[in-house]
Amino acid sequence: MATAASTTGGGGGLSRSASAIVAVTESGQHLLRIDGYSHTMDVPTGSDIKSPPFRVGGHSWRICYYPNGLSSAWTEYISLFLQLGGDAPQGVWTRHTFSLLGREGKPVPYFTNSGKKIFTDWGTSAFIRRSELERSEHLRDDSFTIRCDVTVVREIQTKTVDVGAAPAVVPPPDLHRHLGGLLATGEAADVAFEVDGKTFMAHRCVLMARSPALRAQLFGLSEESADAGGGSTIAVRIEDMEAQDFEALLRYMYTDSLPEMGEQGEAAAMLPDLVAAANRYGMERLRLLCEDKLRELVDARTVAAILAFAGEHHCHGLKEACLRFLSDPENLREAVKTNGLEHLSKSCPSVLVDLIAKLAAE
């Protein structure tokens, strides 16, 4: 944040000045591992276990772990609070996040809680339902880990800014826009894809950089074309894919983004095809992006079909989301009414076995 002033002298000259207000911050992380989770259940509701103190931003902090909830209203949950040391002044500005860490030591998106405030104590009464934690893969050997990220505003400074030269304004990245324009115009394209009766022009160098499967395929075709004395454009026929799905795949390769999907039915129809295409062409980020969007479509009407698809295409995160949805008895009753589970038992019985095991573990 900056302020500026100017004055005009008697001779008509312009005097310019500028200043800046700068918030100086410090960030830190603290890992709290809960070993012997089942034994912490002996701690009564409303009582906490405090972590050793740790320092961030010149202040002392502790994590307060309530294994049976902050109060009687939250007995099914683990509650977490971040406590500021008693010797700290009032009015400490902070941002803070609690995250459950997964098997690879990365935060689990479903179990991450953030906030910001002028600090005394802050936390969440419903960080995670104990039954969900106990059914998940994140509780291993009766142990799990919580990460607390803290950013503290240490001070706010003001300083004079040199206005001798106007600062350069750097525009946002626009590589995706330029590559998208190259795809749209087909300029200098050197590969033609025939898909479902339509032709799509593209650029070998882009596709080979984005997909290991296409790299191998196009490299081999380039050598064959050169040996045969063919032209500079390679023709490739794509089977078992609709034109609109291949067009969306190409768009992602050039722009790293998916097309807008206005209607839920449109997304439900295209996203599974894009997951299959991502597996086919070795594009992991695209697969995970589509999986994440498919999670948003899980409801009592769709869960059986999505669960069967997740099992068939090895979408472990999507499968876990469906199983978690069905672990709620009310959701399960609604799903049974749609006869989706009957179809699931015939088309993908192994997934149904996983669901029964998950319900039995409750």
Side-chain angles (χ1 to χ4, degrees):
M1 172 185 269
T3 62
S6 64
T7 60
T8 303
L14 180 65
S15 172
R16 301 176 62 207
S17 63
S19 60
I21 298 173
V22 181
V24 181
T25 63
E26 180 181 325
S27 299
Q29 290 182 350
H30 184 78
L31 299 181
L32 177 63
R33 191 175 73 245
I34 310 298
D35 286 328
Y37 158 76
S38 59
H39 299 292
T40 66
M41 295 299 97
D42 297 333
V43 176
T45 297
S47 297
D48 67 327
I49 306 171
K50 291 182 173 59
S51 73
F54 58 96
R55 295 190 69 80
V56 178
H59 304 300
S60 179
W61 308 86
R62 289 177 183 266
I63 298 174
C64 302
Y65 164 68
Y66 293 80
N68 282 295
L70 179 67
S71 65
S72 58
W74 306 101
T75 55
E76 296 181 6
Y77 292 85
I78 290 173
S79 301
L80 291 175
F81 280 78
L82 185 62
Q83 186 180 74
L84 180 62
D87 57 343
Q90 294 297 310
V92 177
W93 278 98
T94 183
R95 295 175 182 267
H96 27 273
T97 302
F98 286 123
S99 303
L100 176 67
L101 297 189
R103 184 175 297 180
E104 298 180 354
K106 297 180 180 179
V108 180
Y110 307 110
F111 306 122
T112 296
N113 190 284
S114 300
K116 60 180 179 179
K117 67 175 294 185
I118 298 178
F119 208 89
T120 49
D121 287 351
W122 172 90
T124 171
S125 300
F127 174 67
I128 184 172
R129 194 186 293 267
R130 288 197 308 277
S131 59
E132 287 190 72
L133 174 65
E134 291 162 8
R135 291 195 305 267
S136 76
E137 63 180 10
H138 312 304
L139 180 66
R140 305 182 67 194
D141 300 324
D142 207 27
S143 174
F144 67 97
T145 300
I146 297 161
R147 192 179 83 187
C148 179
D149 293 84
V150 184
T151 297
V152 178
V153 179
R154 295 204 61 167
E155 59 179 318
I156 297 180
Q157 303 174 345
T158 59
K159 62 181 182 180
T160 301
V161 178
D162 182 12
V163 293
V169 178
V170 181
D174 58 1
L175 177 63
H176 65 286
R177 182 168 61 83
H178 290 293
L179 289 179
L182 196 63
L183 175 65
T185 63
E187 184 179 359
D190 55 4
V191 58
F193 289 96
E194 184 181 341
V195 187
D196 194 24
K198 293 186 177 181
T199 300
F200 298 92
M201 302 302 297
H203 305 80
R204 269 176 280 180
C205 58
V206 175
L207 305 184
M208 291 170 71
R210 297 289 278 162
S211 164
L214 281 174
R215 182 189 305 122
Q217 182 181 11
L218 294 177
F219 184 78
L221 290 174
S222 298
E223 290 188 328
E224 291 177 10
S225 178
D227 292 341
S232 59
T233 301
I234 297 175
V236 180
R237 184 179 180 86
I238 302 294
E239 304 287 352
D240 303 323
M241 186 177 295
E242 294 185 4
Q244 64 175 3
D245 296 332
F246 188 78
E247 185 176 11
L249 176 67
L250 274 183
R251 174 185 172 85
Y252 177 82
M253 288 184 178
Y254 280 75
T255 67
D256 231 23
S257 63
L258 295 175
E260 293 294 330
M261 300 181 190
E263 300 294 331
Q264 179 171 328
E266 181 183 351
M270 179 174 285
L271 288 171
D273 294 335
L274 288 179
V275 170
N279 286 335
R280 177 176 179 174
Y281 292 110
M283 302 182 67
E284 180 68 6
R285 184 180 181 275
L286 174 60
R287 184 181 67 80
L288 293 174
L289 182 62
C290 292
E291 273 195 58
D292 190 56
K293 290 185 176 295
L294 279 170
R295 287 191 187 99
E296 300 173 6
L297 303 180
V298 174
D299 58 26
R301 181 178 55 84
T302 64
V303 64
I306 294 177
L307 182 54
F309 172 83
E312 180 182 354
H313 291 271
H314 309 291
C315 300
H316 302 298
L318 181 59
K319 177 181 175 181
E320 182 63 26
C322 292
L323 293 177
R324 186 162 55 250
F325 177 86
L326 290 172
S327 65
D328 184 310
E330 184 176 344
N331 291 341
L332 181 59
R333 282 194 294 271
E334 290 299 316
V336 169
K337 290 179 182 178
T338 68
N339 295 322
L341 294 183
E342 180 179 351
H343 169 71
L344 184 64
S345 66
K346 297 176 181 178
S347 62
C348 199
S350 63
V351 173
L352 196 62
V353 170
D354 291 340
L355 172 60
I356 294 171
K358 193 171 186 68
L359 294 173
E362 292 187 3

